[in-house]
Amino acid sequence: GFIVIVSLILTGANLAITQRETEKNRSLALEGQITDRFTKAITQLGDKDKLEVRLGGIYALERIANDSEKDHWTIMEVLTAYVRENAPYKKPEPSPNASSKKIAVKEETPTAKPKTDIQAILTVIGRRGADGEKNNIDLNNTNLSGADLRGAYLIEADLRGAYLIEADLRGANFRGAHLSGAYLIEADLSGADLSGADLSLADLSGAYLSGAYLSGAYLIGANLRGAKFIEAHLSGAHIIGVDLSGVDLIEANLRGADLSGAKYLTWERISQAIIDYNTKLPPEIENQHKDELKAMREKTRKERVGK
């Protein structure tokens, strides 16, 4: 009986060792396969002559990122680096013939829409599973004019100085994103989440922000001329030193927002918005419309108490 017990123990130990070796070999084989797939995809992405080959490389990298958690962020860095390298936004440079008094600039005309491979990468980035990511997507100073980023996941992304004119950003998640100095002229941000985002010095003139969430967003020095904030959520937003001429604030939630230094803000616009006792308005509006403002604030207070 003793011999039988010892034999069973030794057999179990050998089986465990065999299983560990098998699992190790399987893991090594899988890593080797992923490495081969990664190398092939990178080679495809670098093909300058054939668009279809580059697209194949992009979607191959997406599949690897989904299959391998360890390689996920490396692939995101490769893809964003490709965009920064191949779709940069170059600021206008002084003309060599310009006089010292008046510096002429050579305006760069951005493309109406991104190239097919750039748009493919933006689609991959926007729909990625970002759970557990420790870093942020870096697309600063890129030319993404006319890009389709509907519903894209870009929380805390770096889009400083990005060119997003007429981009479709409906429903995109930009919570805490860095968009300072970005060009969002006539971009569609309807329903987008920009809570806590830094939009300082950004150009949002003519942008569509209907139903967008900008709670706690920083819009210091931004250009908001003609922007549509219909039913937008701007509670607690920092709207200081901005140009609000022609802005549409119908049913916009301005509870707790700081508009004390806003420029060209009219009573007509404010009267269409929702304010409370924590909303800070320019002194001229506060002084000239005390009674009306008090009535609006009291209405908001009663509605909140009722809820």
Side-chain angles (χ1 to χ4, degrees):
F2 175 77
I3 292 172
V4 171
I5 292 171
V6 170
S7 297
L8 289 172
I9 292 172
L10 291 174
T11 300
N14 287 331
L15 181 60
I17 292 171
T18 301
Q19 288 177 335
R20 285 198 296 271
E21 287 296 325
T22 301
E23 190 63 33
K24 182 179 178 181
N25 291 334
R26 185 182 295 117
S27 178
L28 289 172
L30 182 60
E31 286 189 15
Q33 290 175 6
I34 290 174
T35 299
D36 291 341
R37 288 167 60 193
F38 181 80
T39 302
K40 182 179 178 181
I42 291 296
T43 302
Q44 290 177 298
L45 184 62
D47 192 311
K48 296 181 179 180
D49 299 321
K50 296 181 180 179
L51 172 62
E52 60 272 21
V53 174
R54 295 198 299 277
L55 291 175
I58 291 166
Y59 294 123
L61 287 171
E62 181 184 25
R63 287 193 294 272
I64 297 169
N66 292 334
D67 293 341
S68 174
E69 183 179 347
K70 185 178 71 173
D71 297 298
H72 169 86
W73 185 249
T74 300
I75 289 169
M76 291 304 115
E77 287 186 321
V78 168
L79 293 176
T80 51
Y82 183 91
V83 176
R84 293 195 304 272
E85 184 68 25
N86 292 278
Y89 170 62
K90 298 177 181 178
K91 294 181 180 179
E93 299 177 358
S95 170
N97 299 321
S99 65
S100 58
K101 292 183 179 180
K102 184 178 180 180
I103 300 177
V105 295
K106 291 186 284 186
E107 292 288 348
E108 178 185 351
T109 303
T111 55
K113 290 184 180 295
K115 294 179 180 178
T116 305
D117 51 352
I118 299 298
Q119 180 59 64
I121 289 176
L122 295 177
T123 301
V124 167
I125 291 170
R127 70 187 178 199
R128 76 194 189 285
D131 294 339
E133 278 187 356
K134 296 180 180 179
N135 300 297
N136 303 322
I137 293 295
D138 185 359
L139 292 169
N140 77 87
N141 292 301
T142 48
N143 183 356
L144 308 179
S145 176
D148 184 350
L149 282 163
R150 286 174 291 176
Y153 184 93
L154 291 164
I155 286 181
E156 297 184 358
D158 185 354
L159 288 155
R160 290 174 294 176
Y163 212 80
L164 288 152
I165 291 178
E166 296 183 0
D168 191 344
L169 309 171
R170 288 175 289 173
N173 194 335
F174 289 103
R175 274 184 293 161
H178 305 278
L179 287 149
S180 56
Y183 298 86
L184 291 148
I185 301 166
E186 296 186 6
D188 193 343
L189 287 148
S190 302
D193 190 345
L194 292 147
S195 304
D198 183 3
L199 289 151
S200 302
L201 302 176
D203 192 340
L204 287 142
S205 54
Y208 298 86
L209 293 122
S210 300
Y213 294 84
L214 293 109
S215 301
Y218 291 85
L219 291 149
I220 300 169
N223 180 2
L224 302 178
R225 283 180 297 179
K228 311 293 188 295
F229 286 100
I230 301 170
E231 296 183 354
H233 303 266
L234 289 148
S235 55
H238 305 271
I239 313 172
I240 303 170
V242 301
D243 185 343
L244 290 172
S245 55
V247 70
D248 197 334
L249 294 170
I250 296 175
E251 292 299 312
N253 182 353
L254 298 173
R255 290 195 290 259
D258 187 351
L259 297 95
S260 56
K263 303 173 183 177
Y264 312 115
L265 180 61
T266 65
W267 162 246
E268 181 186 2
R269 306 292 183 188
I270 285 295
S271 65
Q272 298 173 325
I274 300 169
I275 65 169
D276 65 2
Y277 284 103
N278 293 315
T279 304
K280 297 179 181 178
L281 298 170
E284 59 273 17
I285 291 179
E286 289 281 6
N287 295 331
Q288 294 173 17
H289 301 277
K290 290 180 180 180
D291 294 338
E292 297 98 323
L293 290 171
K294 183 178 179 181
M296 290 175 66
R297 286 165 169 151
E298 192 61 21
K299 178 183 177 183
T300 301
R301 185 190 69 80
K302 289 179 179 179
E303 288 177 348
R304 298 193 73 175
V305 169
K307 292 180 181 179

